[in-house]
């Protein structure tokens, strides 16, 4: 590909139109779609990405020239340029921001004038290969003998042998040694030894799933066909109960992909991207795996990205953004736990990695696998209508035993005359059934996980006399009491203040702490099981005392008997010695005003149930609930997804919610409440309130009406006609004026209402 005379550039940042520039003769080779360039804008220079080389420009004036272009291969492959344009259009977002999302910051900045290319370098020294022209001195002969072992780091060599760099430079000039400036790879896995693993013999269900995926892979290139691809097969939805061996199927599908000469991308939810997960891929494929994790250092991220870009690595593993890994000749994309909400980005562009993965797979004509024990209803519906193929794995790969689940009706257990446990509060948190089950585990040296959806000590603090509750001054939410540091904390903005000793309104002394958070569960557990080793894992702990990884390492090593935690512990962890999982407040999510509340509750209970009994001993799951008859709880406890989905899908159809419509959320923000409300109303008028082809919700305050001092109103739009919906949204966005500090944002395929 060689360049043309005009480059169309998407500037970094929020401008939504493109700019055309002329390409000086000297840069024509290097400026191609996907190149990063510096260009003039007004009186300054800025950076952007070339998205096309058009024949002509619509701009009537004289085009200004591109100033410089980054060296090396273009940052984005042609397929990724196309994907960025698609995202900008579909998610109604500036292309510049889409490109920004695709490139790690260090890669974006690479190659700019004077800024280096982002690689780390190091000097090495080695004996010259040719015979020297001059006779070495005695000292020089000695130095050469130290170099007999081969190339060494210059700094280390000088330090070890007490040689000055100048001496070596002189020897270089005399042709005795060679000094090289070598790129040093910053390896996120450096120092961790990973024992290689080989493919396991698959069971019948796994084999069938693998065959279906392999059938969807692009064919091996032949002499005649070259790399030409036929049309892509349908995406495969892999519905496998927890621990059914989905990962092993992915690994073997990737092996076949590599064998055919293609690369692969594996997306994993951020929270499941543990060293344990990464190790499974590295153990099978070694250096061919590149990890793209936001927690890598910027240097490591840069180098891993380039290893993929230059083809040294062929398998990218990472969270949401790894979807944009520059894997050329892409053959397979795997989205594990495809139902996970963390695949949706909550800032512009608000893309959903699963959905964009489907588009990338279509563009690149490669196979797509979506795996989950609890698929999203969107994917489930696609399988029903035949848009996706479906593979089912109904049994666990190891023990062939699903855990047995007990639903505990808290209306009965927590009744005052139930006679069970000491201490009023404890009974509301730990049912008799749960306490007995934990005691048995402690007796047998087995482990327990206890899950609660709320961190802190008490989620509501208020006055029993006048009814005052403690809410955040910046945000319209109740503050949570945290006992570690004896403060009230806002979970939206992080603000904190001390607990008042008397009620500020009426002077009442006994302030009440209502509800239960993880801290309180931990404390109650310590009194109930004084000899047990108990740890807690939630955002409060992992952001301060010790990391996520350390807590899990101790748990894995059997140094903890009971692990109490939030969502953090519910996902993807695999501990063979855990034989009991307790879900303390299974219904907390049901009360949320969100059409996906039941789906989320089902996922949570089923995933948590999947934590128990992953080894050779069977597991038990205890689900405490005040609504034992809710289908989301009853059916999740048995991992009966199909029955739950059938009923839930009917409900969605009746109420015109996804997967039967596209659902968009428009949020208006600003510092003055009236102005925000008024602007939201104008947006509704502009979108057209009465139209049978879509449903437009009235503007209402957001669930958290005020956050960080900013007021928020929102309205929802849904329609079965995606094109129409986009048209209305775009029309209204450009028609509505936003005075002062008001801003309007738009979330296409929004996941929630918050
Ligand atoms: P999932 O991804 O579905 O949760 P995993 O792939 O993590 O399940 O598999 C669960 C456990 O079963 C792992 O310890 C894995 O090594 C083991 N396993 C998977 N497939 C097989 C198999 N065919 N034979 C024996 N063990 C298997
Ligand atoms: Zn707040």
């Amino acid at each position: 590909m060689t360049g043309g005379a005009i480059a169309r550039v998407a500037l970094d940042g929020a401008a939504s139109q493109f700019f055309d520039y002329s390409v000086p003769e000297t840069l024509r080779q290097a400026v191609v779609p996907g190149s990063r360039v510096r260009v003039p804008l007004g009186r300054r220079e800025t950076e952007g990405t070339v998205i096309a080389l058009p024949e002509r420009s619509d701009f009537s004036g004289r085009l200004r020239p591109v100033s410089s272009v980054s060296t090396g291969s273009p940052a984005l492959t042609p397929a990724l340029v196309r994907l960025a344009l698609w995202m900008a259009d579909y998610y109604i977002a500036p292309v510049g921001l889409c490109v920004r999302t695709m490139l790690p910051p260090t890669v974006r900045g690479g190659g700019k004038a004077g800024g280096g290319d982002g690689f780390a370098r190091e000097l090495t020294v080695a004996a010259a290969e040719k015979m020297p022209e001059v006779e070495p001195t005695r000292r020089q002969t000695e130095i050469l003998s130290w170099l007999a072992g081969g190339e060494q780091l210059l700094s280390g060599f000088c330090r070890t042998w007490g040689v000055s760099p100048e001496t070596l430079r002189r020897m270089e000039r005399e042709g005795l040694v060679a000094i090289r400036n070598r790129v040093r790879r910053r390896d996120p896995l450096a120092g961790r030894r990973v024992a290689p693993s080989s493919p396991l013999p698959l069971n019948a269900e796994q084999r069938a799933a693998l065959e279906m995926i392999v059938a969807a892979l692009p064919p091996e290139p032949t002499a005649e066909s070259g790399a030409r691809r036929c049309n892509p097969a349908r995406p495969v939805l892999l519905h496998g109960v927890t621990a059914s061996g989905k990962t092993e199927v992915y690994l073997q599908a990737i092996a076949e992909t590599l064998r055919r000469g293609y690369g692969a991308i594996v997306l994993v939810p951020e929270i499941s991207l543990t060293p344990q997960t990464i190790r499974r891929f590295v153990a099978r494929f070694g250096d061919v795996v590149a990890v793209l994790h936001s927690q890598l250092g910027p240097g490591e991220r840069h180098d891993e990205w380039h290893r993929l870009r230059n083809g040294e690595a062929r398998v990218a593993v990472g969270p949401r953004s790894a979807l944009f890994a520059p894997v050329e000749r892409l053959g397979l994309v795997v989205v594990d736990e495809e139902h996970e909400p963390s695949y949706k980005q909550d800032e512009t562009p608000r893309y959903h990695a699963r959905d964009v993965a489907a588009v990338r797979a279509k563009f690149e004509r490669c196979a797509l696998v979506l795996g989950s024990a609890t698929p999203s209803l969107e994917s489930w519906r696609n399988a029903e209508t035949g848009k996706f193929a479906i593979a089912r794995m109904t049994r666990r790969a190891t023990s062939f035993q699903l855990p047995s689940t007990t639903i505990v009706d808290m209306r009965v257990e927590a009744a005052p005359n139930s006679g069970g446990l000491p201490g009023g509060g404890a009974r509301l948190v730990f049912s008799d059934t749960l306490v007995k089950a934990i005691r048995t585990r402690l007796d047998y040296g087995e482990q327990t996980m206890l899950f609660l959806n709320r961190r802190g000590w008490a989620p509501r603090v208020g006055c029993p006399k006048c009814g005052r509750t403690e809410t955040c001054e910046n945000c319209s939410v109740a503050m949570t009491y945290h006992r570690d540091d004896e403060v009230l904390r806002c979970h939206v903005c992080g603000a904190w203040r001390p607990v008042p000793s008397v009620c500020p309104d009426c002077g009442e002394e006994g302030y009440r702490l209502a509800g239960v958070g993880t801290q309180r569960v931990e404390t109650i557990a310590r009194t109930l099981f004084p000899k047990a080793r108990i740890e807690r894992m939630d955002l409060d702990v992992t952001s301060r005392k010790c990391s996520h990884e350390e807590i899990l390492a101790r748990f894995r090593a059997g140094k903890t008997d009971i692990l109490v935690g939030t969502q953090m512990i519910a996902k993807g962890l695999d501990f063979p010695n855990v034989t009991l999982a307790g879900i303390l407040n299974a219904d907390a999510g049901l009360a949320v005003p969100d059409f996906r509340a039941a789906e989320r509750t089902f996922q949570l209970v089923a995933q948590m149930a999947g934590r128990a009994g992953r080894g050779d001993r069977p597991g038990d799951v205890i689900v405490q609930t005040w609504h034992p008859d809710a289908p989301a709880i009853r059916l999740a406890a048995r991992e009966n997804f199909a029955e739950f989905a059938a009923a839930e899908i009917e409900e969605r159809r009746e109420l015109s919610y996804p997967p039967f419509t596209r659902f968009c959320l428009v949020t208006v923000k600003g510092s003055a409440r009236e102005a925000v409300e008024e602007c939201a109303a104008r947006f509704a008028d502009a979108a057209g309130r009465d139209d049978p082809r879509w449903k437009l919700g009235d503007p209402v305050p957001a669930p958290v009406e005020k956050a960080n001092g900013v007021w928020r109103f929102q309205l929802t739009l849904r329609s079965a006609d995606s094109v129409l919906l986009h048209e209305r949204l775009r029309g209204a966005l450009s028609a509505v004026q936003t005075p002062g500090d008001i801003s309007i944002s738009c979330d296409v395929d929004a996941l929630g209402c918050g």
Side-chain angles (χ1 to χ4, degrees):
M1 223 182 329
T2 84
I6 301 173
R8 187 156 294 162
V9 176
L11 303 180
D12 290 3
S16 47
Q17 75 276 47
F18 308 127
F19 294 85
D20 288 347
Y21 291 89
S22 66
V23 184
E25 200 74 51
T26 49
L27 299 183
R28 296 246 168 113
Q29 283 291 336
V31 175
V32 295
S35 298
R36 297 280 300 160
V37 288
R38 285 186 73 79
V39 291
L41 181 73
R43 295 229 212 125
R44 55 191 187 93
E45 280 206 337
T46 183
E47 285 174 35
T49 309
V50 178
I51 54 152
L53 301 172
E55 298 278 309
R56 271 183 328 209
S57 174
D58 296 334
F59 183 67
S60 51
R62 207 176 65 83
L63 296 181
R64 302 175 71 184
V66 169
S67 320
S68 65
V69 55
S70 66
T71 50
S73 44
L76 293 183
T77 60
L80 287 175
V81 172
R82 189 170 169 211
L83 197 61
L85 295 172
W86 181 87
M87 275 170 66
D89 184 61
Y90 186 81
Y91 291 105
I92 313 184
V95 184
L97 288 184
C98 295
V99 170
R100 209 186 154 77
T101 302
M102 290 182 163
L103 297 173
T106 40
V107 173
R108 237 168 24 229
K112 66 180 154 206
D117 58 7
F119 285 99
R121 289 206 160 67
E122 60 199 0
L123 293 176
T124 62
V125 58
E129 279 171 18
K130 283 192 304 198
M131 283 294 287
E133 286 157 20
V134 296
E135 186 66 22
T137 63
R138 249 188 52 220
R139 167 77 174 155
Q140 287 176 333
T141 310
E142 192 178 26
I143 291 174
L144 286 172
S145 74
W146 294 329
L147 279 170
E151 187 172 22
Q152 301 191 32
L153 279 185
L154 184 102
S155 54
F157 183 81
C158 292
R159 225 177 307 118
T160 311
W161 300 102
V163 179
S164 76
E166 292 72 50
T167 307
L168 291 175
R169 286 287 177 200
R170 193 168 335 112
M171 288 174 70
E172 185 192 22
R173 282 194 298 275
E174 292 172 357
L176 293 168
V177 300
I179 294 178
R180 289 202 306 141
N181 190 356
R182 186 176 75 172
V183 170
R184 176 172 58 85
R185 175 179 164 203
R186 290 153 292 185
D187 178 2
L189 298 172
R192 287 193 203 163
R193 288 256 54 86
V194 180
S197 78
S198 28
L200 298 170
L202 300 181
N203 62 42
E205 288 182 329
Q206 285 178 312
R207 239 181 355 257
L210 179 64
E211 271 163 27
M212 193 180 280
I213 298 167
V214 166
L217 289 177
E220 226 168 319
T222 59
E224 312 90 74
S225 73
R228 201 152 40 82
R229 311 270 183 103
C230 33
N231 282 328
R234 292 181 295 167
V236 176
L237 176 61
L238 177 52
H239 177 217
V241 296
T242 49
S244 56
K246 294 185 287 295
T247 310
E248 183 61 34
V249 172
Y250 304 151
L251 289 168
Q252 299 197 20
I254 295 166
E256 176 60 17
T257 307
L258 293 171
R259 199 191 62 75
R260 294 187 184 188
Y262 298 96
I265 296 176
V266 182
L267 302 186
V268 179
E270 186 90 41
I271 204 158
S272 330
L273 197 62
T274 56
Q276 187 195 358
T277 313
I278 294 167
R279 223 172 286 134
R280 285 181 81 176
F281 288 90
V282 175
R284 195 65 59 88
F285 303 114
D287 249 7
V288 168
V289 175
V291 182
L292 295 170
H293 195 301
S294 59
Q295 274 164 23
L296 299 183
E300 290 168 341
R301 253 175 115 181
H302 171 271
D303 291 4
E304 289 292 272
W305 191 91
H306 278 279
R307 283 196 328 114
L308 288 162
R309 185 73 181 95
N310 64 29
E312 204 180 302
R314 310 278 302 133
V315 179
V317 180
R320 187 174 65 220
S321 61
L323 171 61
F324 307 118
V327 176
E328 245 166 312
R329 290 172 54 71
L330 186 62
L332 173 68
V333 180
V334 174
V335 183
D336 189 28
E337 310 279 0
E338 64 93 28
H339 63 278
E340 266 293 306
S342 69
Y343 282 127
K344 184 87 156 80
Q345 175 151 296
D346 59 8
E347 57 187 54
T348 311
R350 296 172 186 273
Y351 72 96
H352 196 300
R354 175 195 62 223
D355 301 343
V356 182
V359 175
R360 182 165 185 192
K362 199 168 94 190
F363 285 174
E364 305 207 30
R365 299 183 174 197
C366 72
L368 173 67
V369 177
L370 308 176
S372 176
T374 54
S376 63
L377 291 184
E378 283 80 357
S379 298
W380 189 253
R381 177 74 189 151
N382 280 332
E384 278 184 350
T385 60
K387 215 173 142 192
F388 292 176
I390 182 162
R392 290 193 175 85
M393 304 205 306
T394 54
R395 355 164 97 214
R396 294 200 163 179
T398 44
S399 62
F400 295 123
Q401 243 174 359
L402 287 174
S404 72
T405 302
T406 312
I407 294 181
V408 174
D409 186 345
M410 293 303 279
R411 292 170 309 185
V412 179
E413 288 246 2
N417 56 0
S418 72
L421 292 164
R427 208 171 42 227
L428 292 172
V429 184
F430 284 87
S431 65
D432 229 352
T433 315
L434 182 59
V435 172
K436 283 186 191 132
I438 296 176
R439 293 231 161 97
T440 314
R441 294 314 179 293
L442 293 172
D443 289 345
Y444 284 97
E446 295 170 2
Q447 291 171 298
T448 300
M449 282 180 137
L450 295 178
F451 172 83
L452 181 76
N453 209 357
R454 280 232 173 77
R455 66 192 163 95
W457 175 267
R460 286 183 311 283
V461 181
C463 173
K465 199 160 150 210
C466 73
R468 175 194 159 95
T469 55
E470 292 295 324
T471 51
C472 175
E473 282 165 12
N474 311 320
C475 313
S476 49
V477 295
M479 300 195 68
T480 299
Y481 175 59
H482 286 244
R483 209 168 76 142
D484 285 358
D485 36 14
E486 301 271 334
V487 295
L488 298 172
R489 208 180 285 284
C490 168
H491 285 187
V492 173
C493 73
W496 59 273
R497 60 173 184 260
V499 190
S501 52
V502 299
C503 175
D505 288 347
C506 74
E508 166 72 23
E509 284 180 14
Y511 236 48
R512 180 152 49 191
L513 305 175
V516 177
T518 43
Q519 281 186 2
R520 196 166 187 181
V521 169
E522 184 193 357
T523 308
I524 297 173
R526 283 187 197 287
T527 56
L528 288 174
F529 315 106
K531 294 213 185 89
R533 296 160 303 172
I534 302 173
E535 275 212 76
R536 172 164 61 91
M537 186 162 98
D538 55 30
L539 205 62
D540 296 317
V541 179
T542 55
S543 60
R544 279 179 298 158
K545 284 181 218 145
C546 48
S547 79
H548 196 158
E549 223 181 284
E550 289 168 48
I551 298 173
L552 293 178
R554 279 197 294 275
F555 192 57
R556 178 177 308 283
K559 293 183 181 151
T560 316
D561 300 309
I562 303 175
L563 183 63
V564 178
T566 53
Q567 292 76 322
M568 277 189 178
I569 66 168
K571 310 238 164 95
L573 304 174
D574 188 353
F575 299 106
N577 197 37
V578 173
T579 56
L580 175 65
I583 305 170
L584 300 183
N585 59 342
D587 355 72
L590 284 175
V592 178
D594 178 348
F595 67 89
R596 286 191 178 86
E599 188 182 353
R600 294 274 174 258
T601 300
F602 184 97
Q603 289 163 355
L604 182 71
V605 174
Q607 295 286 336
M608 197 60 206
R611 290 313 104 222
R614 289 181 71 101
D616 31 21
R617 269 158 296 179
D620 285 317
V621 179
I622 292 180
V623 181
Q624 298 189 157
T625 174
W626 302 83
H627 302 99
D629 298 324
I633 289 171
R634 192 166 47 84
L635 297 169
R638 288 191 261 130
E639 289 207 49
N640 189 345
F641 181 76
E643 190 180 334
F644 169 76
E648 186 68 16
I649 282 212
E650 275 324 299
E651 198 152 307
R652 300 276 182 90
R653 191 203 307 270
E654 267 163 39
L655 301 173
S656 306
Y657 275 115
F660 297 93
T661 52
R662 299 262 167 203
F663 178 82
C664 298
L665 184 70
V666 174
T667 306
V668 183
K669 294 182 190 169
S671 57
R673 192 179 188 281
E674 301 74 51
V676 169
E677 185 171 10
E678 190 263 337
C679 180
R682 275 189 291 119
F683 190 97
D685 291 338
R689 285 183 198 258
D690 298 312
D691 191 311
R693 293 169 300 171
W694 70 79
K695 285 190 162 32
L696 175 67
D698 285 329
V700 290
V704 177
E705 183 177 2
K706 186 178 158 209
N708 284 305
V710 175
W711 293 92
R712 313 193 290 187
F713 268 69
Q714 62 186 32
L715 40 100
T716 59
L717 268 146
R718 53 193 209 271
S719 170
D721 184 340
S722 166
V723 175
L724 177 80
L725 197 61
H726 273 84
E727 237 167 57
R728 305 307 308 178
L729 279 173
R730 273 207 195 83
L733 280 171
S734 60
V736 174
Q737 302 278 330
T738 50
D741 66 353
I742 288 193
S743 68
I744 304 178
S745 66
C746 182
D747 187 354
V748 176
D749 296 337
L751 283 191
C753 297

